[in-house]
Amino acid sequence: MSTVLMGILAFGFSNPSKIREANNYDFFYFVISVSFLILTPKFLLAASYLISLVLRLFKARYFSRILLMSSLIISLGLMINIGYGITFGRKTLRVIKQEIYLDSLPDALDKTTIVQISDIHLGGFKDDSFIRRAADEINSFHPDLILFTGDMVNNYYQEMLGFEDEFAAMKASFGKYAILGNHDYGDYSNWESKEQKQINHQTLEGMIEDAGFELLLNESAKIDINNESVEIIGVENWGHPPFPQYADLDMAMKNTEKQSFKILMTHDPAHWADRVIEKTDVPLSLSGHTHAAQSGIQFAGIEFSPMYFIQKYWGGLYKHGNQYLYVNRGIGCVGLLGRIEMAPEITVLTLRSK
């Protein structure tokens, strides 16, 4: 089995340019998912075996046997858990309800309801049934606002074809707003020309707007809720080198009013730490991007993802002074076609005044 798997990996990644040109992700997802399913338990077993050899050198055969048996049981459980995440976990919709108490929130905006969705990656879906279910769930909360924080597709606008009605069906009393994520620019694909890439990008923007979302590209939108001014600020993706940093927060906030209540949408939560806190007066920011690594541990109310070692703000609510950040764990999958203890998330945020 290991030989077959290594052969698949060698074949799949021997020519990485072909992967970047692919618009069908089935083989790519298959390779990543099977590798994760088989190699992760084997890595644990191999590490345990090496430790057991050390224990035997010190005549601790009893502890060596306990270690090997324990690792075997844990590896089996891990394989079952990964298999479940690939088969069912990515289809199990999770609704997280979060109240956020804000010092600067006017009383008239108390109990304003925002539904946040993020990182849909439509290239990983075979049909529209899951997105239709998500739309029905979103509408059941009768939100004031729906905010989408980027990564509609993996690379290509064609991935959105067949899903337009589901996004158009999402309803909010005061509007739907969207920004772009790192995958929405097509930077992860090889293009025959800059013009081809630009057409792909512009077509995707048009499709998002045709679905009823106002796309904010380093700009803001002013709305009135209960006679209070609310400004939704949206920046383009704040990328990590070597990818471009399209975000321009100064430009996005150029026309905002000092007295208005502001909500910032920025795809990458690292942008909040680097450009927002202590440098702006924006009380609430919303991000996605991390997917919470699509894997983690949830036990006794404690949640942890290995994404923490890469991205400090990987999922949930964070606070710095009087400024808040919520990081949505995403709906779709990229790379690993599965979610292990980190189900697809719809976030229902209720703003509360103190």
Side-chain angles (χ1 to χ4, degrees):
M1 185 65 180
S2 296
T3 304
V4 173
L5 179 59
M6 294 305 295
I8 292 173
L9 286 171
F11 176 78
F13 295 101
S14 59
N15 193 345
S17 63
K18 291 297 182 184
I19 295 175
R20 290 173 64 87
E21 293 169 3
N23 53 23
N24 184 314
Y25 305 102
D26 290 347
F27 180 73
F28 175 69
Y29 282 141
F30 173 76
V31 171
I32 295 295
S33 299
V34 171
S35 301
F36 203 81
L37 177 66
I38 296 175
L39 295 182
T40 304
K42 282 194 172 185
F43 178 81
L44 177 61
L45 280 173
S48 300
Y49 181 73
L50 290 174
I51 295 172
S52 71
L53 289 178
V54 175
L55 291 174
R56 290 191 178 193
L57 288 175
F58 290 95
K59 310 297 184 182
R61 292 181 177 273
Y62 175 73
F63 294 105
S64 174
R65 286 195 295 269
I66 290 177
L67 176 64
L68 287 174
M69 289 301 297
S70 299
S71 63
L72 183 63
I73 294 170
I74 293 171
S75 296
L76 180 61
L78 187 59
M79 180 175 283
I80 293 171
N81 200 22
I82 294 172
Y84 180 87
I86 293 171
T87 309
F88 301 106
R90 63 190 177 93
K91 302 175 183 178
T92 305
L93 199 58
R94 178 189 186 192
V95 176
I96 294 182
K97 298 178 181 179
Q98 177 74 61
E99 287 189 331
I100 304 179
Y101 287 84
L102 298 146
D103 291 335
S104 59
L105 187 74
D107 290 340
L109 298 178
D110 188 46
K111 297 185 180 178
T112 296
T113 303
I114 299 169
V115 166
Q116 182 194 2
I117 53 176
S118 193
D119 298 88
I120 298 174
H121 292 280
L122 289 171
F125 292 95
K126 290 296 183 184
D127 58 58
D128 62 355
S129 58
F130 184 83
I131 303 301
R132 190 186 316 124
R133 183 152 53 95
D136 291 341
E137 191 73 47
I138 288 168
N139 290 338
S140 71
F141 294 104
H142 306 288
D144 296 304
L145 293 165
I146 296 175
L147 303 182
F148 169 62
T149 46
D151 276 2
M152 178 67 75
V153 297
N154 290 348
N155 284 299
Y156 308 105
Y157 78 85
Q158 290 92 339
E159 296 169 40
M160 197 173 174
L161 295 173
F163 296 91
E164 300 95 328
D165 291 344
E166 282 64 43
F167 289 104
M170 299 175 184
K171 303 298 181 184
S173 302
F174 297 95
K176 306 187 298 186
Y177 296 87
I179 58 172
L180 300 177
N182 53 307
H183 281 264
D184 295 323
Y185 295 89
D187 289 337
Y188 297 93
S189 180
N190 288 336
W191 300 93
E192 293 180 3
S193 66
K194 290 182 179 180
E195 290 75 18
Q196 190 182 59
K197 180 181 179 182
Q198 186 177 15
I199 290 171
N200 178 77
H201 183 66
Q202 291 175 343
T203 305
L204 177 62
E205 289 181 346
M207 294 178 74
I208 293 172
E209 291 178 332
D210 289 344
F213 286 85
E214 183 173 343
L215 191 59
L216 300 177
L217 304 174
N218 291 328
E219 55 193 332
S220 63
K222 182 179 178 181
I223 56 177
D224 185 86
I225 301 178
N226 299 330
N227 296 319
E228 284 288 348
S229 178
V230 177
E231 291 187 290
I232 312 297
I233 304 164
V235 295
E236 297 196 55
N237 185 58
W238 192 79
H240 297 275
F243 296 102
Q245 293 189 342
Y246 302 105
D248 190 331
L249 185 57
D250 292 335
M251 181 184 293
M253 295 185 66
K254 183 178 180 180
N255 298 317
T256 59
E257 300 174 356
K258 185 172 180 60
Q259 67 272 20
S260 65
F261 181 78
K262 299 175 181 66
I263 301 171
L264 171 66
M265 295 194 294
T266 176
H267 182 67
D268 191 329
H271 183 236
W272 182 73
D274 197 80
R275 294 287 190 271
V276 180
I277 54 176
E278 298 182 353
K279 296 178 181 178
T280 73
D281 61 349
V282 176
L284 177 61
S285 299
L286 304 179
S287 295
H289 185 58
T290 69
H291 298 214
Q294 295 172 209
S295 61
I297 299 170
Q298 295 188 46
F299 181 74
I302 298 172
E303 186 177 53
F304 177 78
S305 167
M307 179 55 69
Y308 172 80
F309 299 111
I310 301 172
Q311 181 79 267
K312 179 181 179 181
Y313 307 108
W314 59 268
L317 186 66
Y318 300 92
K319 183 176 186 289
H320 182 93
N322 290 319
Q323 293 177 291
Y324 287 86
L325 168 71
Y326 190 88
V327 182
N328 180 286
R329 297 165 182 83
I331 285 180
C333 300
V334 67
L336 171 68
L337 193 61
R339 282 186 170 263
I340 303 155
E341 299 292 332
M342 289 292 167
E345 176 182 335
I346 291 174
T347 312
V348 182
L349 302 171
T350 303
L351 308 186
R352 303 303 308 272
S353 62
K354 289 186 178 181

